[in-house]
Amino acid sequence: QVQLVESGGGLVQAGGSLRLSCAASGIIFSINAMGWYRQAPGKQRELVADITSGRSTNYADSVKGRFTISRHNAKNTVYLQMNSLKPEDTAVYYCNALSGVAPMYRWGKGTLVTVSS
């Protein structure tokens, strides 16, 4: 059974930083591309960053230069370092394994990031 458990969210002022973690179990983590998504109130879930098994990365334009995705295969964990946070980054953040750009598994509970102005 695949489980994705996100953590690290919280309330932060604009300009601040947070580091999100996602622990995956039930998958062969090292061979999967992984992605971080977010869903803001009233909006669709969007992919903001992804990392391949070879550690190539891609970012949405809205977060490029501010967010960094990384992975630790021995810990089955993917991270999202978020710097220079903006109020528009407020959302619930989720991780998932990727097939192309599509999520592969049932979503976890996510972790809420709230950025105050």
Side-chain angles (χ1 to χ4, degrees), residues 13-114:
Q13 288 188 331
S17 297
L18 283 174
R19 188 193 194 206
L20 307 184
S21 299
C22 168
S25 60
I27 64 173
I28 306 174
F29 181 83
S30 62
I31 68 171
N32 279 280
M34 298 295 296
W36 279 98
Y37 295 75
R38 68 185 181 188
Q39 187 167 20
K43 295 189 176 181
Q44 288 191 330
R45 195 166 348 214
E46 61 171 343
L47 179 64
V48 297
D50 65 83
I51 184 167
T52 68
S53 58
R55 290 184 165 79
S56 295
T57 58
N58 292 287
Y59 299 92
D61 288 343
S62 58
V63 307
K64 202 170 292 183
R66 301 187 298 120
F67 289 11
T68 302
I69 188 170
S70 61
R71 64 192 297 158
H72 194 308
N73 287 342
K75 294 184 178 181
N76 283 11
T77 300
V78 61
Y79 305 98
L80 188 67
Q81 177 67 43
M82 306 187 297
N83 299 328
S84 302
L85 282 161
K86 304 175 180 181
E88 51 263 43
D89 295 318
T90 294
V92 179
Y93 285 72
Y94 304 86
C95 71
N96 214 314
L98 298 177
S99 176
V101 294
M104 292 180 66
Y105 301 110
R106 187 173 63 182
W107 298 102
K109 294 182 178 179
T111 187
L112 175 62
V113 172
T114 304

